[in-house]
Amino acid sequence: MEAQPGDRIIIRGTTVDSADKHGEITEVRGDNGLPPYAVRYDDGHETIIYPGGDFVLEKDSPVH
């Protein structure tokens, strides 16, 4: 999936006890919008990820 800075990412919890993680892509390090992505989660944690099948990408839509 192709991403750009400003897109939102949701990593789905894989068990009943694990909550979803929400964040913003701050940098795309792969070619043509591909991973790895630098992500700042809503709790302030920052990391580099190669997302798996448990994620959802919400495209940043321009404001009209």
Side-chain angles (χ1 to χ4, degrees), residues 47-60:
T47 190
I48 303 296
I49 64 168
Y50 286 85
D54 58 348
F55 87 106
V56 175
L57 184 66
E58 296 178 340
K59 299 300 283 178
D60 183 32

Side-chain angles (χ1 to χ4, degrees), residues 27 29 36-39 46-50:
E27 182 181 356
R29 295 189 174 186
Y37 305 133
V39 174
E46 295 185 26
T47 190
I48 303 296
I49 64 168
Y50 286 85

Side-chain angles (χ1 to χ4, degrees), residues 1-56:
M1 181 166 295
E2 297 177 12
Q4 61 185 12
D7 289 348
R8 299 281 302 165
I9 191 166
I10 302 168
I11 307 292
R12 298 287 183 204
T14 56
T15 65
V16 174
D17 293 334
S18 61
D20 294 348
K21 295 169 84 175
H22 298 254
E24 179 181 338
I25 295 175
T26 58
E27 182 181 356
V28 175
R29 295 189 174 186
D31 293 331
N32 301 316
L34 298 176
Y37 305 133
V39 174
R40 181 182 313 112
Y41 291 105
D42 292 350
D43 66 1
H45 177 81
E46 295 185 26
T47 190
I48 303 296
I49 64 168
Y50 286 85
D54 58 348
F55 87 106
V56 175

